[in-house]
Amino acid sequence: MTTPDPRGTAERRARDVIPLREATRAWFAISLQTFGGPAGQIAVMQRVLVEEKRWIGQQRFLFALSYCTLLPGPEAQQLATYVGWLLNGVRGALVAGVLFVLPGVVALLVLSGIYVAYGDTTVVEAVFLGLAPAVVAIVAQAVVRVARKGLGHPALVAVAAASFAALVLFSVPFPAVVAASAVIGWLLGRRVPDLTRPPRAVAADGPPPLVSDDQLHSERPSGRRAATTLVVGLLLWSAPVAAAALLVGPSSIFVDQGLFFSGAAVVTFGGAYAVLAYVAQQAVQVYGWLLPGEMVRGLALAETTPGPLIMVVQFVAFVGAYRDPGDLDPWLAAVLAALLTTWVTFVPCFLFILLGAPYVERLRGNRSLAAALAGVTAAVVGVIASLALFFALHTLFDATGRLTAGPLDLEYPRLASLDVPSLALTALACALLFWRGWSVLRTLGACAAAGLLVGVGGALL
């Protein structure tokens, strides 16, 4: 007679679809290829996990992506965490999520230091002369991509347009736009049954995936597990901010940044592009951590590193703390602020996945979720378009004005301040991305080289 495995061993085997060591190697390899924003990162995981390794089915992968897009936070990193959970339980989720961001954290920390130390030199300024216009084109490309994917019904086009108008013309708070769009999507879904349809995947040649499309995860939801996850997650999330308040005072920049980016982490629906308009407005106009043009430079740096683009908040915190270090050494303050901001930005991502995934696994195919997601996706198109406009204004023009009349609150360019070299470089970036079909990283490299030629050449003349 066969002796049954102990309960813990059986549960571990149920969670470990593949050996954790093998999964770790795969996630590390994926983390080094995550350039080009969410679209590029999702494409890498699609190729490696779905097509090459056959670890997860196509429909299962797309459902996980839809759920992660509905959540606040970077959807690609959360998708990696979700798939890691499907493959290896909580350990797999932590390994996949941490490795997804670790290379970007290290790279952007180094680049932020270089920017602070040498950002005013002619060479560095010339490089950014090319990178900033490239970012304008990259964000414009993101508008087109998300619109093609998410605006499959005229009602959703209207939601996108209304979101853009609310943000640009009336300065409606970003969280309110996203929340209203989710509710509108849900209501439209009840009246328009075909508002959104689950994508149909084309069957691929090869063996069946280890996590099939119709297989339920072995870990069932429970109130005890959810309560434990919530308490532990909240304690880990708040611990660094509480420590900063005790050690350097509640009015320090560390507490301000910790609280602000903790709040931003729960309203970052639609990924980095969607929330950057909100972060830029607060960081520049409210807290004064950055100048308007520096937000574009920070995004340019984030575009050149692997990992989620929301990592730009690390640059914001680094520069802000370096300029206002309190009683600490500026470099130490900058590094601590960058790491604290990264922590409070990504810990919620793990919490959302580990808390919600067991329940969501039982809701696959729910039409209400799909309809709310469609509304959020439509709003994201409008939000990204407003971000493209914000970056264009502060990249192509040296001065802007503001028109206010009743609820109207519009920022407009002063045409006499047009920066002709930036306009030419933006046109170059658009041509490379839209016409030649170049990758984001290749376009950034070409525009940086062009900016170097224009900037250094102009300084020598």
Side-chain angles (χ1 to χ4, degrees):
M1 185 174 67
T2 303
T3 302
D5 287 339
R7 182 176 178 182
T9 304
E11 289 180 354
R12 184 180 304 166
R13 289 180 178 176
R15 289 196 301 266
D16 287 341
V17 177
I18 58 171
L20 182 61
R21 181 175 298 180
E22 182 181 353
T24 301
R25 288 196 298 266
W27 287 118
F28 181 71
I30 288 173
S31 73
L32 300 179
Q33 305 174 55
T34 53
F35 293 93
Q41 294 157 4
I42 293 168
V44 170
M45 287 187 282
Q46 161 81 26
R47 174 176 54 81
V48 174
L49 302 174
V50 178
E51 299 172 6
E52 295 179 0
K53 294 185 177 296
R54 307 290 294 163
W55 284 351
I56 183 171
Q58 179 70 81
Q59 289 281 16
R60 196 66 171 274
F61 182 82
L62 292 174
F63 175 81
L65 174 59
S66 297
Y67 170 63
C68 294
T69 305
L70 188 60
L71 291 173
E75 67 269 27
Q77 189 267 349
Q78 290 173 328
L79 176 61
T81 305
Y82 195 121
V83 176
W85 175 77
L86 288 175
L87 295 174
N88 298 97
V90 174
R91 297 178 306 154
L94 295 176
V95 167
V98 170
L99 286 180
F100 196 87
V101 301
L102 190 58
V105 170
V106 175
L108 193 55
L109 200 61
V110 172
L111 291 175
S112 298
I114 292 173
Y115 173 78
V116 167
Y118 305 106
D120 294 331
T121 65
T122 300
V123 173
V124 173
E125 288 186 345
V127 171
F128 278 108
L129 177 64
L131 288 179
V135 169
V136 174
I138 290 168
V139 178
Q141 184 189 50
V143 175
V144 175
R145 285 182 172 178
V146 178
R148 287 175 178 173
K149 177 182 178 181
L151 304 184
H153 192 279
L156 297 178
V157 176
V159 173
S163 300
F164 177 80
L167 291 165
V168 172
L169 300 180
F170 303 106
S171 296
V172 177
F174 170 79
V177 173
V178 173
S181 300
V183 173
I184 292 172
W186 176 71
L187 293 174
L188 287 173
R190 301 184 66 181
R191 293 180 173 272
V192 186
D194 61 344
L195 179 72
T196 177
R197 296 177 180 176
R200 295 182 179 179
V202 179
D205 296 332
L210 298 180
V211 180
S212 63
D213 292 332
D214 57 356
Q215 174 186 349
L216 282 177
H217 194 272
S218 60
E219 187 173 0
R220 300 185 62 84
S222 70
R224 181 177 179 180
R225 178 196 176 280
T228 302
T229 302
L230 181 62
V231 170
V232 173
L234 291 178
L235 287 175
L236 290 174
W237 189 4
S238 59
V241 181
L246 291 174
L247 295 175
V248 296
S251 60
S252 68
I253 191 172
F254 303 103
V255 175
D256 288 342
Q257 291 181 344
L259 293 177
F260 171 70
F261 289 113
S262 292
V266 299
V267 299
T268 53
F269 294 93
Y273 284 128
V275 77
L276 282 180
Y278 170 65
V279 172
Q281 179 191 39
Q282 297 294 309
V284 173
Q285 300 176 8
V286 177
Y287 292 100
W289 295 328
L290 298 179
L291 300 174
E294 286 183 318
M295 191 66 191
V296 184
R297 295 181 175 189
L299 183 57
L301 289 179
E303 289 276 10
T304 63
T305 60
L309 295 181
I310 195 63
M311 201 71 72
V312 68
V313 300
Q314 179 182 313
F315 170 83
V316 175
F318 189 101
V319 175
Y322 181 86
R323 293 173 178 168
D324 183 18
D327 296 330
L328 297 179
D329 175 80
W331 287 104
L332 176 60
V335 172
L336 291 177
L339 295 178
L340 183 147
T341 295
T342 302
W343 180 270
V344 300
T345 298
F346 286 101
V347 167
C349 298
F350 293 96
L351 178 59
F352 295 145
I353 296 299
L354 295 177
L355 186 63
Y359 296 94
V360 172
E361 279 292 294
R362 268 65 185 175
L363 294 176
R364 292 206 305 270
N366 185 281
R367 298 181 66 119
S368 297
L369 275 179
L373 173 62
V376 172
T377 303
V380 165
V381 176
V383 172
I384 298 176
S386 72
L387 177 65
L389 179 62
F390 175 86
F391 282 164
L393 284 175
H394 293 284
T395 300
L396 304 181
F397 298 90
D398 296 326
T400 62
R402 186 167 292 275
L403 175 64
T404 57
L408 182 67
D409 186 7
L410 174 65
E411 185 178 16
Y412 63 90
R414 298 191 183 277
L415 299 181
S417 67
L418 176 66
D419 188 330
V420 176
S422 293
L423 179 63
L425 291 169
T426 301
L428 171 64
C430 289
L432 295 177
L433 284 173
F434 291 98
W435 177 44
R436 302 296 298 177
W438 282 24
S439 68
V440 167
L441 199 59
R442 190 180 180 189
T443 300
L444 284 168
C447 290
L452 191 61
L453 290 175
V454 173
V456 175
L460 295 176
L461 293 178

